């Protein structure tokens, strides 16, 4: 092993590549070979020449970077504006779609006997609520989840774990569905049968839109939710996480919660028929 | 002192003239800087060990810059230019650190 080695002798496979790299890198190639009797020459001027070239390249790189800086900043600003504009357009379109879905639901409810791909009105109404195509209002609960408050007693190792993760929200939402919730919204974003609760870095995404804590999970349903949820395994797991890491958990009762229809478009039902079990 | 003056002159010339580097040439600039630094540290080490030879120095420097540029060029053509540039920079940087360590040891031993 070379005397200039950065690494200790280690024959384990994990260090094999690094050791090989370190051993094989030839650092003395600028020296005269041992078997020749060449006269020693002063390297000062050579070093000066090479350093001048290095300085020239470095200076050119600095000048180029500085020249391009305003262009890069401008491009970044344009991209930021474009994203903001697209999000605004998306929000407006979602609102429009939501109100249209509401209107369709109202028209259908006022038209008795209207056939919807072989479903009766009751099933269709239930389907619309689950898929978020119609607005819902009624008695419900709101659960507020928040990261742990940073205190001196909180172990630093646990600090990163003492916040709400997407898996915690998933546990709570699954527990609510299982306990009879008819409709659920997280920070006013209605969940449907196709909703996704994911994470990207530190942020939690619901329907691919980032949310900020505190997470207010509203559920419309009967009083049985509160009774049944404590028996639910997912909810018990969440309770364990809340207790272990000192997360904030608050459950409140509301006489009336209103959830608007979502901007989810109707799937193309062309050619799809509801069949009967054989 | 002369090498430092050379370095400063080089930086000043580069900043003042501010030539427009073609887009295709930009990935080669950092590689050239690192290769030059590698050559300088190698030369200082060889000089301290009294084994410096100018012909070997110049030919090694030229061939290292050329090989590094060819690797980056090939990487660009194959669509993995960034990865190969990183590889070249890692290898040259390791040589720089190894030479710097040898220079440091040499200077301490002289005292």
């Amino acid at each position: 092993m070379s005397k200039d080695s950065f690494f200790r002798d280690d024959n384990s496979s994990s260090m094999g590549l690094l050791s090989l790299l370190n051993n094989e890198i030839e650092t003395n190639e600028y020296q005269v070979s041992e078997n020749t009797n060449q006269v020693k020459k002063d390297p000062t001027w050579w070093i000066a020449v090479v350093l001048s070239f290095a300085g020239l390249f470095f200076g050119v790189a600095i000048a180029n970077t500085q020249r391009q800086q305003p262009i890069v900043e401008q491009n970044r600003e344009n991209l930021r504006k474009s994203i903001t504009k697209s999000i605004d357009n998306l929000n407006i379109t979602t609102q429009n779609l939501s109100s249209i879905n509401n209107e369709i639901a109202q028209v259908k409810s006022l038209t008795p006997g209207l056939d919807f791909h072989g479903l009766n009105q009751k099933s269709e109404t239930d389907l619309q609520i689950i898929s978020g195509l119609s607005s819902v209002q009624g008695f419900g609960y709101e659960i507020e989840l928040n990261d742990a408050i940073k205190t001196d007693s909180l172990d630093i190792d646990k600090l990163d774990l003492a916040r709400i993760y997407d898996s915690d929200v998933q546990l709570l939402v699954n527990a609510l569905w299982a306990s009879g919730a008819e409709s659920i919204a997280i920070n006013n974003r209605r969940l449907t049968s196709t909703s996704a609760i994911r994470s990207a870095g530190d942020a939690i995404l619901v329907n691919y839109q980032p949310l900020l804590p505190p997470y207010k999970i509203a559920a419309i349903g009967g009083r049985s939710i509160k009774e049944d949820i404590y028996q639910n395994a997912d909810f018990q797991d969440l309770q364990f996480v809340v207790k272990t890491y000192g997360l904030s958990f608050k459950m409140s009762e509301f006489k009336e919660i209103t959830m608007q229809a979502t901007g989810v478009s109707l799937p193309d039902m062309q050619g799809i028929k509801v069949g009967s079990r054989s | 002192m002369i090498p430092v003056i050379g370095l400063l002159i080089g930086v000043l010339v580069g900043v003042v003239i501010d030539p427009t580097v073609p887009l295709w040439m930009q990935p080669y600039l950092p590689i050239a800087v690192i290769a030059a630094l590698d050559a300088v540290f190698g030369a200082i080490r060889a000089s301290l060990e009294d084994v410096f030879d100018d012909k070997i120095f110049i030919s090694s420097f030229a061939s290292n810059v050329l090989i590094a540029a060819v690797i980056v060029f090939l990487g660009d053509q194959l669509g993995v230019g960034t990865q190969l540039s990183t590889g070249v920079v890692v290898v040259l940087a390791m040589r720089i650190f190894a030479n710097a360590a040898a220079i440091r040891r040499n200077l301490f031993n002289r005292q």
Side-chain angles (χ1 to χ4, degrees), chain A residues 3-4 6 21 25-27 29-32 38 41 43 46 50-52 54-57 60 63-64 67-68, chain B residues 6 10-11 18-19 21 26 36 38-39 42 45 47 49 51-54 56 58 60 64 95 97-99 105:
Chain A
K3 64 177 179 174
D4 298 324
F6 303 124
L21 187 64
I25 286 179
E26 187 65 53
T27 56
E29 67 174 288
Y30 296 114
Q31 299 174 358
V32 66
Q38 292 186 36
K41 290 161 189 164
W46 288 113
V50 172
L51 266 182
S52 306
L56 180 69
F57 294 144
V60 170
N64 255 284
R67 196 179 334 115
Q68 285 174 358
Chain B
V11 174
D18 188 13
V21 182
Q26 284 179 2
D38 170 51
R45 176 188 176 182
S47 167
E49 291 173 2
V51 285
F52 178 78
D53 182 71
D54 54 0
I56 293 173
I58 289 298
S60 295
N64 279 350
R95 286 163 54 104
F97 279 111
N99 278 326
R105 253 194 306 274

Side-chain angles (χ1 to χ4, degrees), chain A:
Chain A
M1 178 166 277
S2 156
K3 64 177 179 174
D4 298 324
S5 172
F6 303 124
F7 312 111
R8 289 190 201 131
D9 256 328
D10 188 346
N11 294 324
S12 67
S13 56
S14 63
M15 286 294 285
L17 183 60
L18 288 175
S19 300
L20 180 73
L21 187 64
N22 191 44
N23 288 333
E24 294 296 318
I25 286 179
E26 187 65 53
T27 56
N28 54 358
E29 67 174 288
Y30 296 114
Q31 299 174 358
V32 66
S33 69
E34 286 172 9
N35 297 329
T36 56
N37 295 318
Q38 292 186 36
V39 185
K40 179 199 155 197
K41 290 161 189 164
D42 184 14
T44 310
W45 285 102
W46 288 113
I47 292 175
V49 170
V50 172
L51 266 182
S52 306
F53 274 109
L56 180 69
F57 294 144
F58 187 58
V60 170
I62 291 172
N64 255 284
T65 309
Q66 282 185 343
R67 196 179 334 115
Q68 285 174 358
Q69 195 64 27
I71 302 168
V72 171
E73 279 299 318
Q74 184 62 44
N75 286 345
R76 199 171 288 161
E77 187 56 36
N78 287 345
L79 185 64
R80 201 175 292 137
K81 279 181 187 166
S82 172
I83 291 170
T84 312
K85 199 175 166 188
S86 298
I87 289 174
D88 288 344
N89 283 342
L90 178 69
N91 286 339
I92 291 167
T93 313
T94 307
Q95 274 178 1
N96 288 344
L97 193 55
S98 167
S99 65
I100 290 167
N101 281 340
N102 256 340
E103 282 174 31
I104 292 170
Q106 278 172 6
V107 169
K108 279 184 178 168
S109 66
L110 294 170
T111 319
L114 186 70
D115 182 63
F116 182 74
H117 299 282
L119 289 174
N120 62 36
Q121 192 121 24
K122 171 79 173 71
S123 307
E124 189 202 332
T125 308
D126 290 346
L127 201 59
Q128 280 182 341
I129 290 171
I130 293 168
S131 53
L133 289 171
S134 63
S135 62
V136 195
Q137 57 184 24
F139 176 84
Y141 295 94
E142 187 183 87
I143 295 162
E144 189 179 306
L145 282 177
N146 204 352
D147 301 342
I149 297 163
K150 194 180 168 186
T151 57
D152 292 340
S153 61
L154 194 64
D155 195 351
I156 292 173
D157 294 339
K158 286 183 178 177
L159 206 60
D160 193 42
L161 295 170
R163 60 184 187 82
I164 304 291
Y165 283 85
D166 56 338
S167 54
D168 304 328
V169 180
Q170 285 167 4
L171 284 174
L172 181 57
V173 167
N174 285 341
L176 284 167
W177 284 129
S179 306
E182 290 171 20
S183 197
I184 299 176
I186 304 174
N187 286 14
N188 293 326
R189 290 190 189 280
R190 178 105 172 256
L191 297 185
T192 67
S193 47
T194 56
S195 291
I197 302 168
R198 308 289 297 273
S199 67
D202 285 350
I204 293 181
L205 310 181
V206 172
N207 292 334
Y208 305 105
Q209 301 236 5
L211 299 182
L212 289 172
Y215 304 101
K216 292 179 178 176
I217 296 113
I220 291 178
R223 287 180 190 279
S224 61
I225 290 179
K226 197 173 182 180
E227 293 154 17
D228 293 347
I229 200 166
Y230 284 96
Q231 314 300 323
N232 186 279
D234 284 343
F235 188 75
Q236 286 166 0
D237 285 349
L238 177 69
Q239 290 277 299
F240 176 76
V241 172
V242 166
K243 274 184 192 164
T244 307
Y245 297 106
L247 304 174
S248 164
F249 179 94
K250 205 162 65 184
M251 193 171 189
S252 322
E253 196 177 294
F254 284 87
K255 279 183 183 170
E256 190 168 288
I257 297 175
T258 304
M259 292 181 196
Q260 294 301 320
T262 60
V264 177
S265 58
L266 270 172
D268 184 11
M269 300 286 273
Q270 204 72 33
I272 298 174
K273 282 192 175 175
V274 179
S276 56
R277 286 175 191 269
S278 56

Side-chain angles (χ1 to χ4, degrees), chain B residues 8 37 52 76:
Chain B
L8 290 177
L37 281 179
F52 178 78
D76 274 340

Side-chain angles (χ1 to χ4, degrees), chain B:
Chain B
M1 195 61 193
I2 297 169
V4 176
I5 293 170
L7 175 70
L8 290 177
I9 290 172
V11 174
L12 273 177
V13 169
V15 173
V16 171
I17 295 178
D18 188 13
T20 307
V21 182
L23 202 63
W24 63 268
M25 224 181 182
Q26 284 179 2
Y28 301 97
L29 269 184
I31 301 293
V33 173
I34 298 287
L37 281 179
D38 170 51
V40 167
F41 277 91
I44 294 170
R45 176 188 176 182
S47 167
L48 288 173
E49 291 173 2
D50 291 335
V51 285
F52 178 78
D53 182 71
D54 54 0
K55 286 193 194 75
I56 293 173
F57 172 66
I58 289 298
S59 59
S60 295
F61 170 57
S63 67
N64 279 350
V65 170
L66 193 71
I67 291 167
V70 168
I71 290 173
V72 175
F73 172 77
L74 280 176
D76 274 340
Q77 301 308 308
L78 294 169
V80 286
T82 319
Q83 289 91 324
L84 283 189
S85 294
T86 309
V88 168
V89 169
V90 166
V91 170
L92 291 178
M94 282 184 75
R95 286 163 54 104
I96 289 171
F97 279 111
N99 278 326
I103 291 166
R104 182 171 42 81
R105 253 194 306 274
N106 204 304
L107 288 174
F108 280 136
N109 288 340
R110 283 183 179 211
Q111 284 175 357

